[in-house]
């Protein structure tokens, strides 16, 4: 299934294909499309692993990592203007790492280095409260991970059931439902720019 994003009055409905192949070390799904797992087959439609929008438009051309083939917009990932498109590599590949995200259980995708070590999905960093993403410098670290992990300790994702990492809360007022940003995307939850993700019970609120 190819990933797609359907817009309704400013809301975006994400649909991603989840590869159910279980990694030998940890039984976790690998997200294909919106967050491309290293070594996974690429979807036909070329979309950014951060925003899921296609090549071109206001966000410009997509950069494709020359090693793991993850695709991102220059502005979404913070790629400097001096970068060569054909030779560009994402942060984990530059460091010769195959990391796990510190904020969620999903492997692969558009990750950047975080303060305190390790890597974090850019999409997770954008929607977990208190986490800060560097504006443009590709060498800038994603900050605030430690505090975010502390606030979310013991809180399970309503989609995958895992308490690993840090979850974000449904954007509907007073709704306690929580989920990892990547899990919300994989579950096709409604996303509203500027507000966040809405759980299945509040899909109409987010539209």
């Amino acid at each position: 299934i190819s990933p797609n994003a359907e817009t309704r009055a400013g809301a975006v409905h994400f649909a991603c294909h989840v590869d159910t192949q279980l990694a030998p070390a940890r039984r976790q799904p690998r997200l294909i499309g919106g967050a491309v797992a290293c070594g996974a087959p690429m979807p036909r439609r070329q979309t950014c692993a951060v925003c899921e929008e296609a090549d071109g438009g206001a966000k410009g051309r997509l950069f494709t990592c020359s090693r793991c083939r993850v695709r991102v917009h220059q502005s979404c990932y913070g790629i400097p203007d001096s970068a060569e498109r054909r030779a560009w590599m994402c942060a984990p590949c530059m460091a010769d790492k195959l990391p796990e995200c510190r904020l969620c259980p999903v492997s692969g995708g558009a990750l950047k280095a975080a303060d305190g070590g390790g890597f974090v999905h850019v999409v997770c960093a954008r929607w977990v409260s208190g986490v800060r993403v560097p504006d443009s410098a590709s060498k800038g670290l994603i900050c605030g991970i430690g505090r975010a992990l502390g606030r979310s300790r013991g809180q399970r994702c309503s989609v995958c059931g895992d308490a690993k990492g840090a979850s974000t809360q449904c954007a509907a007022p007073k709704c306690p439902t929580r989920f990892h940003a990547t899990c919300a995307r994989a579950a096709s939850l409604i996303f509203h720019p500027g507000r966040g993700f809405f759980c299945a019970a509040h899909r109409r609120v987010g539209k």
Side-chain angles (χ1 to χ4, degrees):
I1 302 174
S2 298
N4 60 75
E6 182 180 351
T7 303
R8 297 189 186 94
V12 179
H13 180 258
F14 287 105
C16 298
H17 171 79
V18 178
D19 181 1
T20 55
Q21 178 180 350
L22 302 180
R26 302 188 65 169
R27 293 179 177 272
Q28 300 169 350
R30 297 184 308 169
L31 188 63
I32 310 300
V36 182
C38 293
M42 299 298 292
R44 292 181 180 179
R45 185 183 179 217
Q46 297 187 1
T47 57
C48 173
V50 177
C51 71
E52 291 222 314
E53 293 183 16
D55 195 11
K59 294 187 177 180
R61 296 286 303 280
L62 289 170
F63 274 69
T64 301
C65 177
S66 59
R67 186 171 180 180
C68 74
R69 311 305 295 172
V70 67
R71 300 187 183 102
V72 292
H73 287 117
Q74 182 178 1
S75 59
C76 290
Y77 196 79
I79 302 172
D81 293 335
S82 59
E84 291 187 28
R85 193 180 303 276
R86 292 183 180 180
W88 178 77
M89 287 196 294
C90 66
C93 289
M94 283 286 290
D96 198 24
K97 302 285 186 181
L98 190 61
E100 292 182 354
C101 177
R102 290 177 60 190
L103 295 177
C104 81
V106 177
S107 61
L111 299 104
K112 296 193 72 171
D115 62 342
F119 292 81
V120 171
H121 286 120
V122 177
V123 68
C124 289
R126 285 186 172 185
W127 294 107
V128 172
S129 178
V131 177
R132 300 183 302 280
V133 183
D135 292 334
S136 59
S138 61
K139 294 183 179 180
L141 298 176
I142 293 177
C143 302
I145 306 300
R147 290 183 179 180
L149 292 173
R151 286 193 300 269
S152 293
R153 185 174 291 114
Q155 296 179 335
R156 294 189 176 277
C157 170
S158 62
V159 177
C160 72
D162 199 333
K164 178 184 184 293
S167 55
T168 186
Q169 194 166 337
C170 173
K174 299 182 180 181
C175 179
T177 305
R178 304 188 68 88
F179 28 67
H180 298 111
T182 46
C183 291
R185 177 180 282 184
S188 302
L189 298 185
I190 291 291
F191 170 78
H192 193 291
R195 296 178 66 185
F197 290 95
F198 289 82
C199 69
H202 293 107
R203 293 171 66 93
R204 293 184 180 277
V205 178
K207 290 183 179 181

